[in-house]
Amino acid sequence: MSFEKGNLNRHILKALGIFGGVQSVSIIISFIRNKFAAVLLGTEGIGLLAIFNNAIDLLTSTTQLSIRQAAVPDVAKSETPERLNRIAYVIMRWAWVLGLIGAFITIIASPWLSEYSFGNKDYTLHFCAISAIIFLASIQTGWQIIIQGVEDMSSLAKSQLWGAVTGAVVSIPMYFILGLASIIPSLLAYAVATALSTSYYRKRLPAPSPKPTQKETLSEGLGFIRLGFYMTASVFATLLASYLYIGWLNSAASIEEVGLFNAGNTIINRYTTLIFAAIGYEYYPRLSRIINSATEVKTNVSSEINMAMLVIMPMICIYLAFNDLIITILYSSDFTEISAYMKWAMPGVILKAVSWCMAFTILARGEGVHYIITETLSSVVYILTHIFFYKFYGIDGWGYAYAAWYAAYLLIIGYFYFVKYKYKVTSDSVKLMLLTAAVTAVAVSSTYISQAATIIVAIIASAYSIVKLRKEIK
């Protein structure tokens, strides 16, 4: 699917709007669910939910082998309906197999999980019940791969939105009725609700004729399974880096500072997910389809960067204008000491957006070894920068570390993008990146003058972005 410049920019902006809106609603719904859980189940219930949710995240990420990210290019590159039907069939077979393996591993490991999480085996049956969630998650992932691969943005967004809504509708009443006994049933109900929502919007394709044999299913799926293995290893490296740093911070400082650090990370991730969700869901399959054309890659990557910059610029300025207020609303006034940390992390958001737009070329090309190299190097830089800047600048240093981390990551990705793959970006994209960085620097500086000054910068940045976006989509 090829676009002229104006049409491509409209397509990107539409995706940003759709997935940004869905993410916003999902965050609100998540907040409501957590609020009900906190009021009705108390701290014990919140603790139990956290333990079981973390176990679910760990088991799904480990047993699914990142198949969603790995298999999307295979769907996107399907040149004929027959090929699409065949690869979809192969993917769903693998989803069933990985789901059954994941459920089996969960059941086998349930006594150990209970012992590790609670110090006894009293919760073994609870973890056995989670096996159903692991299985459903794998099947749901298979459907999502196909929806995302064919770039059916509307169905993908609707499935996520209604999954979050129906999941909340079925789980919240259980908190009222069953109290603490609702933990596992509510998690199961939420998983069923989200799976049914995805099933309703899934792309229903006819079975290929003839159907792939078991041997053909194995051989045709090895490509994305191999890439998925590399991606899973990369995710593990990232999680390990985060775990090691938090462990170091807890020993070098205190659990209170760990809480402040996590609060800052949560705010950054929630605030920027509006942008990065669209990059992951819509841009990735589109890029996979045209990855063999250097000209098309240059056009698509440059357009994605441009749209991201024009949306991020006012978002950052608005955040900086109301930094303390946002922190207080999401947490409390006790957390405003991370204010400077958040300010100096904002330039890192720009660097993250640019590097992400280029980094997806590695996945679109199926370069698993290159991907694990970039992510492992990123993890090492993450630990080193956060330890270094914290030692010298304390809490404020986390902001410097975030920016330095993504500056280094951009250099790492830039090596593969520009040197290894010989891709390029347009001069307009370079100018817009520099302008966004300059405006962000002015906005950060203005916070030390007055809030009114930062609001003026935000208004100017917003006006410029609106005018520029209107021009870009013509």
Side-chain angles (χ1 to χ4, degrees), residues 407-446:
Y409 185 64
L410 181 57
L411 290 175
I412 294 167
I413 294 299
Y415 168 77
F416 285 94
Y417 184 88
F418 293 109
V419 180
K420 195 77 175 175
Y421 305 148
K422 310 295 183 185
Y423 293 141
K424 298 178 181 179
V425 295
T426 63
S427 58
D428 287 344
S429 292
V430 175
K431 292 175 184 177
L432 192 52
M433 283 184 262
L434 294 174
L435 176 63
T436 305
V439 171
T440 300
V442 171
V444 170
S445 301
S446 70

Side-chain angles (χ1 to χ4, degrees), residues 258-315:
V258 172
L260 292 172
F261 177 71
N262 281 334
N265 271 340
T266 300
I267 292 173
I268 293 173
N269 291 333
R270 283 186 177 179
Y271 198 68
T272 59
T273 191
L274 312 181
I275 301 295
F276 296 112
I279 294 176
Y281 291 139
E282 183 277 328
Y283 170 61
Y284 179 30
R286 170 163 49 87
L287 188 63
S288 300
R289 187 169 284 129
I290 51 85
I291 196 64
N292 293 322
S293 169
T295 303
E296 289 281 356
V297 169
K298 177 183 177 181
T299 300
N300 280 263
V301 171
S302 298
S303 292
E304 196 73 27
I305 290 173
N306 290 349
M307 293 298 102
M309 292 299 101
L310 290 173
V311 174
I312 282 175
M313 186 194 302
M315 281 182 63

